[in-house]
Amino acid sequence: MKFHAGIIEIVESLPHEPGVYQYLDAEQRIIYVGKAKDLKKRVSSYFLKEHQDGKTRTLVKQIAHIRFTVVENELDALLLENNLIKSYRPRYNILLKDDKTYPWIVIKNEAFPRIFSTRRKIQDGSIYYGPYPNGKAMNALLGLIRELFQLRSCQLDLRPQKLEKGTYKVCLEYHIGKCAAPCVGNQSEAAYQQQIDAIALLLEGKTHTLSQELKKQMLELAEKQEFEQAQRLKEILIELDNYQSKSMMASASLVDLDVCHIESEDAICYFNYMVVREGRIVHTYSASIKNPFNEALPDIYSSLLPQLREHFDSHSKEILVQNAADILVTEAKVSTPKIGEKKQLLDLSIKNVMHLRLQLRKKAMNAVSDQRSFQTNALLELQEVLKLDKMPTHIECFDNSNLQGTNAVSACVVFKNGQASKEDYRIFNVKTVEGPDDFGTMKEVVRRRYSRLLAENEALPQLVIIDGGKGQLSAAMEVIQELGLHTRFQVIGLAKRLEEIFKPGFRKSIVLNRRSAALKLIQQLRDEAHRFGITRHRNKRSKAANHSVLEEIKGLGPKTIALLFQEFKTLEKMQASSEEEVAKKIGASKAKLLFTYFSDH
């Protein structure tokens, strides 16, 4: 199965730690969220085998990018997965369930509502929470609800007209304390609804709000000396705190806040950002951005945080960072926690930045390794195709540039070990050839190049590439033989139209596979020589045109014109300068001549 580029690299760089992974498609939409005890093992399983399930195969084909968040333990992974699925509603979290729908928790629209799980969503006024991709998490939540509250589980019709008949009797649930027996009038509908309202807050994840409400009710009952009911609420609060204290993913004390950690290295910033709502992490995001001007970290925080808060629609009043000094964010307090759950959250953000850096560093190392592998393969292939004695680690390529024979230049680019060696590039201003004579130009520059290398006892290349067909190659070889170098290195010509390679003395050309690493390297050399040559040619043509304009001004000699271009580079900069500024360089009288010409033209 084919995967999007870079996916395997990301998988290989994942840590062997618990966490949550997010699969994104080509349009950067989250299509699946999953949890793992070991991120690397779990995510690798998607890509190292052929899946029998068609939906899983379709999912894997669409994965274009992978994000991950490292957490402390498997329970944290379970809770964070649940939070993220509720926030993003990824498509494949619903589809990948063996043709079943995910279960919901329903508060039934009926007198004395029942609360239970269901896979059928009926439009009857009932309230549904979910769906819950993880059945264990949902059942644990239902177990907590049944532990905390006295709810009926029977299917009796408890409408007032039915209760008035007095035909119902208490059941075992009442005797074991699981139900307050509203069926025989032991619990009012208002008291029962109060429990339902509290459960709704719990199912919405508003555990802090629920705790505050329960404490208020407990104090009111205590004031009324209804100590038994007050004690029951106290027990519920203790159980709720125990439920929340299992993980920093759900905590009553955190309420709403943002967490951000940024590190800068080699003009790149790595950051992690988390959004906490009602004590639950609902968004987590890690990425890198360029920092070409090496801005200070407080400035980066002050610039990046407002963008992240806007993107994730965060209006929290507190932001946690490692060092709050000099970080300015309007409408929010920036602080640095030292202990407690806030410090744990910040440490988690720091840990995720560390893993992001390791992941990107490994990816960069793999890219360098791949590039070196490509270069080595290309050089070895060239050696084999051209029947060279040695691998061509030193290659030179020539290209001529002119416009109807004017301002002719020739470029020589040098590649060493398959990479451009720009300090060895040379440009030749053609001296002995007049008019559009490409063969004569090639002879001149080849002679100048290798005569000098011989005179200075410099290293010669193993391969020389002439940009052109048989004519240019023959012209270059004529000079090479005159210098006695035809046995010292190989010379080839590259014809542009069909990308044919010509060797001296051979009538037939060599045509390499379009996907050949050797051909790609030759093309890279040819394109680089053309780019380098045409750039210098344009500069020369532009400078010549500018010089010819100033030569029209009587009183300005070649030395003065050369001085002007040395100082101001272009005509536009001369015109933008003041006459007094130019006069300091060439004198007042000549400056006046220049600006008089500018005003007349």
Side-chain angles (χ1 to χ4, degrees):
M1 182 184 293
K2 291 184 178 180
F3 307 121
H4 282 265
I7 284 294
I8 298 302
E9 287 184 2
I10 297 175
V11 173
E12 290 176 350
S13 68
L14 290 172
H16 290 284
E17 295 200 42
V20 172
Y21 54 93
Q22 303 171 35
Y23 291 154
L24 291 81
D25 63 14
E27 297 179 7
Q28 295 299 297
R29 293 175 301 195
I30 297 174
I31 56 176
Y32 186 74
V33 174
K35 65 171 177 62
K37 186 176 181 180
D38 184 314
L39 279 167
K40 188 163 189 174
K41 286 184 179 179
R42 181 71 185 95
V43 176
S44 297
S45 68
Y46 282 88
F47 303 94
L48 299 181
K49 64 181 181 180
E50 187 69 27
H51 297 278
Q52 299 298 319
D53 178 30
K55 291 175 182 174
T56 305
R57 289 200 304 272
T58 303
L59 166 65
V60 173
K61 285 180 182 178
Q62 293 189 30
I63 299 172
H65 186 61
I66 302 172
R67 292 183 194 154
F68 67 93
T69 301
V70 175
V71 297
E72 293 298 327
N73 52 58
E74 197 173 0
L75 175 61
D76 280 353
L78 175 66
L79 293 172
L80 181 56
E81 176 200 36
N82 190 43
N83 294 342
L84 294 179
I85 289 171
K86 285 182 179 178
S87 297
Y88 294 111
R89 300 290 179 90
R91 178 187 176 195
Y92 281 94
N93 283 95
I94 302 297
L95 292 180
L96 296 178
K97 197 63 179 178
D98 300 328
D99 294 325
K100 299 177 183 177
T101 58
Y102 277 134
W104 304 71
I105 292 178
V106 59
I107 299 179
K108 196 66 176 173
N109 181 26
E110 60 188 3
F112 297 93
R114 289 171 295 147
I115 297 178
F116 54 91
S117 66
T118 181
R119 294 184 184 273
R120 295 182 60 202
K121 205 174 177 184
I122 303 171
Q123 302 298 326
D124 60 354
S126 298
I127 302 173
Y128 292 83
Y129 295 91
Y132 288 87
N134 190 292
K136 289 183 180 180
M138 182 198 68
N139 290 328
L141 188 55
L142 281 173
L144 176 68
I145 290 170
R146 289 171 184 144
E147 184 70 28
L148 296 180
F149 302 97
Q150 292 180 307
L151 299 172
R152 75 181 184 104
S153 58
C154 64
Q155 299 185 29
L156 297 176
D157 185 349
L158 299 186
R159 287 178 295 174
Q161 57 269 35
K162 294 289 185 178
L163 292 177
E164 289 173 1
K165 294 180 180 179
T167 56
Y168 299 137
K169 293 181 180 181
V170 296
C171 63
L172 181 62
E173 291 285 298
Y174 169 75
H175 292 295
I176 63 175
K178 295 295 184 182
C179 176
C183 57
V184 295
N186 286 1
Q187 186 179 34
S188 69
E189 193 163 2
Y192 193 95
Q193 185 59 42
Q194 200 170 38
Q195 290 189 113
I196 296 298
D197 293 340
I199 293 168
L201 289 174
L202 179 61
L203 291 173
E204 290 168 9
K206 298 179 180 179
T207 51
H208 177 68
T209 303
L210 173 59
S211 296
Q212 296 296 104
E213 184 63 31
L214 291 176
K215 286 177 184 177
K216 180 182 176 182
Q217 292 176 25
M218 181 182 69
L219 293 174
E220 289 175 353
L221 289 169
E223 286 180 4
K224 296 176 183 178
Q225 297 186 354
E226 296 179 14
F227 298 116
E228 188 174 341
Q229 293 182 355
Q231 177 63 26
R232 177 60 183 160
L233 289 183
K234 183 178 179 181
E235 291 172 358
I236 291 175
L237 280 168
I238 292 171
E239 289 295 328
L240 191 59
D241 287 340
N242 290 336
Y243 169 71
Q244 292 168 334
S245 66
K246 291 178 184 177
S247 168
M248 72 175 71
M249 299 298 133
S251 169
S253 61
L254 293 177
V255 199
D256 291 357
L257 52 84
D258 296 347
V259 187
C260 186
H261 180 66
I262 304 175
E263 295 180 11
S264 183
E265 181 183 53
D266 298 331
I268 298 177
C269 287
Y270 308 88
F271 69 90
N272 171 263
Y273 176 73
M274 294 188 290
V275 180
V276 180
R277 292 292 170 270
E278 292 280 355
R280 299 179 304 127
I281 297 177
V282 295
H283 297 294
T284 176
Y285 179 64
S286 298
S288 64
I289 56 174
K290 292 182 179 179
N291 181 23
F293 303 109
N294 288 314
E295 295 182 65
L297 276 178
D299 295 332
I300 298 169
Y301 272 105
S302 299
S303 173
L304 185 60
L305 277 171
Q307 299 177 54
L308 290 169
R309 284 164 62 82
E310 180 181 0
H311 180 78
F312 289 99
D313 194 27
S314 174
H315 303 283
S316 63
K317 298 299 182 182
E318 185 177 12
I319 305 172
L320 307 182
V321 300
Q322 190 174 32
N323 187 355
D326 301 322
I327 299 176
L328 301 175
V329 179
T330 58
E331 301 179 357
K333 172 189 173 185
V334 182
S335 61
T336 302
K338 301 298 182 184
I339 58 174
E341 291 177 320
K342 291 183 179 180
K343 180 65 166 62
Q344 288 179 336
L345 272 177
L346 182 58
D347 289 343
L348 182 62
S349 185
I350 293 171
K351 188 174 185 178
N352 276 281
V353 170
M354 178 194 74
H355 282 292
L356 174 68
R357 290 177 64 173
L358 290 174
Q359 179 194 30
L360 295 180
R361 188 177 299 157
K362 188 171 182 179
K363 183 178 179 181
M365 290 173 63
N366 288 341
V368 171
S369 177
D370 290 345
Q371 179 64 17
R372 287 175 179 169
S373 177
F374 165 78
Q375 292 157 355
T376 302
N377 290 339
L379 294 175
L380 288 171
E381 190 177 337
L382 270 177
Q383 180 183 357
E384 182 180 351
V385 168
L386 300 176
K387 311 299 182 188
L388 303 177
D389 294 333
K390 296 181 180 179
M391 188 167 68
T393 56
H394 180 173
I395 306 175
E396 299 187 354
C397 181
F398 291 87
D399 179 63
N400 297 333
S401 297
N402 65 73
L403 180 64
Q404 296 179 346
T406 63
N407 304 302
V409 297
S410 186
C412 172
V413 299
V414 180
F415 273 39
K416 293 182 177 179
N417 296 315
Q419 290 184 306
S421 179
K422 294 191 176 182
E423 64 271 17
D424 294 315
Y425 284 15
R426 294 293 181 269
I427 200 77
F428 297 93
N429 293 312
V430 180
K431 299 177 180 178
T432 62
V433 178
E434 295 184 2
D437 184 355
D438 207 28
F439 299 158
T441 299
M442 189 61 70
K443 286 182 181 180
E444 177 186 329
V445 297
V446 170
R447 180 178 283 107
R448 287 168 59 185
R449 172 64 174 170
Y450 296 115
S451 294
R452 182 162 185 169
L453 290 184
L454 287 172
E456 296 178 356
N457 198 28
E458 293 288 336
L460 293 170
Q462 289 97 24
L463 177 63
V464 174
I465 300 172
I466 305 298
D467 182 22
K470 291 182 178 180
Q472 287 89 340
L473 178 61
S474 298
M477 282 305 300
E478 186 177 325
V479 175
I480 296 295
Q481 288 173 339
E482 288 177 10
L483 296 173
L485 298 175
H486 56 287
T487 59
R488 304 280 295 274
F489 51 76
Q490 177 71 64
V491 184
I492 62 172
L494 180 64
K496 294 177 182 177
R497 189 168 64 90
L498 297 176
E499 305 288 38
E500 295 174 283
I501 297 173
F502 293 97
K503 289 180 65 176
F506 289 82
R507 295 181 62 183
K508 290 186 177 181
S509 64
I510 301 172
V511 180
L512 297 178
N513 188 298
R514 291 283 179 178
R515 297 181 180 179
S516 159
L519 179 61
K520 289 179 179 178
L521 180 60
I522 292 174
Q523 290 171 331
Q524 188 179 353
L525 274 147
R526 187 268 315 281
D527 294 343
E528 179 67 357
H530 183 70
R531 180 202 64 78
F532 184 57
I534 201 69
T535 300
R536 292 302 181 95
H537 170 67
R538 286 170 180 164
N539 291 341
K540 183 178 179 182
R541 190 176 64 196
S542 175
K543 188 174 181 181
N546 289 336
H547 269 272
S548 64
V549 167
L550 295 188
E551 285 168 3
E552 297 177 8
I553 306 173
K554 293 182 179 180
L556 295 186
K559 289 185 178 180
T560 302
I561 293 172
L563 182 62
L564 282 168
F565 279 106
Q566 182 180 349
E567 183 67 29
F568 298 100
K569 309 301 180 188
T570 65
L571 283 175
E572 290 76 12
K573 290 185 178 180
M574 292 180 207
Q575 289 176 297
S577 304
S578 65
E579 186 173 334
E580 291 75 14
E581 188 178 354
V582 175
K584 291 178 183 178
K585 301 297 179 183
I586 63 173
S589 59
K590 292 180 180 179
K592 186 175 182 180
L593 288 173
L594 178 65
F595 278 87
T596 299
Y597 175 83
F598 285 156
S599 62
D600 292 342
H601 294 78

